[in-house]
């Protein structure tokens, strides 16, 4: 059974940092794209960053470029999202996702985690 389990969310003050983790299990993701999304109440799910599991080009949404960094640790089967200079508008539930396609449209990713809450206070 494929599982993606996020952790590392919490409450942080504006300007602070958090590192989210996405632990994967149940299959080999070596040819997969990995991504981080977020969804705030009343808003659509937003793609934040992607990285090929095998390494290579990373992509970021304009809203987080320069503040967030996606990375992966093959030995730990874990993908990370380092979030710096957090703002109140970053408050949302953050999700990890995986897909075997090299290009994924929108939120049609194959595998999803359950999400972890990030709250940024002003």
């Amino acid at each position: 059974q494929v599982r993606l389990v996020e952790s590392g969310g919490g409450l942080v003050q504006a300007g602070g940092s958090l590192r989210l983790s996405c632990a994967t299990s149940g299959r080999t993701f070596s040819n997969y794209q990995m991504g981080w999304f977020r969804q705030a109440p009343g808003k659509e799910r937003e793609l934040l960053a992607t990285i090929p599991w095998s390494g290579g080009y990373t992509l970021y949404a304009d809203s987080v470029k320069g503040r967030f960094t996606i990375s992966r640790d093959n030995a730990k089967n874990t993908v990370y999202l380092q979030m710096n200079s957090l703002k109140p508008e970053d408050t949302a539930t953050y999700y990890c996702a995986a897909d075997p396609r090299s290009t994924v449209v929108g939120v049609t990713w194959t595998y999803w985690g359950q999400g972890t809450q990030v709250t940024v206070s002003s």
Side-chain angles (χ1 to χ4, degrees):
Q1 181 181 2
V2 174
R3 295 191 68 198
L4 305 178
V5 180
E6 302 96 336
S7 62
L11 174 64
V12 63
Q13 288 188 332
S17 298
L18 284 174
R19 188 177 78 158
L20 305 183
S21 300
C22 173
T24 69
S25 62
R27 68 159 299 123
T28 301
F29 288 91
S30 58
N31 295 320
Y32 277 55
Q33 283 285 332
M34 306 300 296
W36 281 98
F37 291 74
R38 70 184 178 191
Q39 189 167 20
K43 295 188 177 181
E44 294 186 352
R45 192 164 295 192
E46 175 189 15
L47 174 62
L48 302 177
T50 65
I51 186 171
W53 187 267
S54 57
Y57 195 66
T58 55
L59 295 175
Y60 295 93
D62 288 343
S63 58
V64 303
K65 195 173 297 182
R67 299 189 298 125
F68 291 10
T69 303
I70 188 171
S71 63
R72 84 271 182 266
D73 185 329
N74 291 352
K76 296 182 178 180
N77 295 321
T78 300
V79 179
Y80 301 99
L81 186 68
Q82 178 67 43
M83 307 187 296
N84 299 326
S85 302
L86 284 163
K87 307 174 183 179
E89 51 263 44
D90 294 319
T91 296
T93 301
Y94 284 68
Y95 299 90
C96 175
D99 197 278
R101 295 167 290 178
S102 59
T103 301
V104 188
V105 176
V107 295
T108 61
W109 290 57
T110 301
Y111 299 111
W112 291 89
Q114 82 291 346
T116 185
Q117 177 67 34
V118 172
T119 303
V120 184
S121 63
S122 58

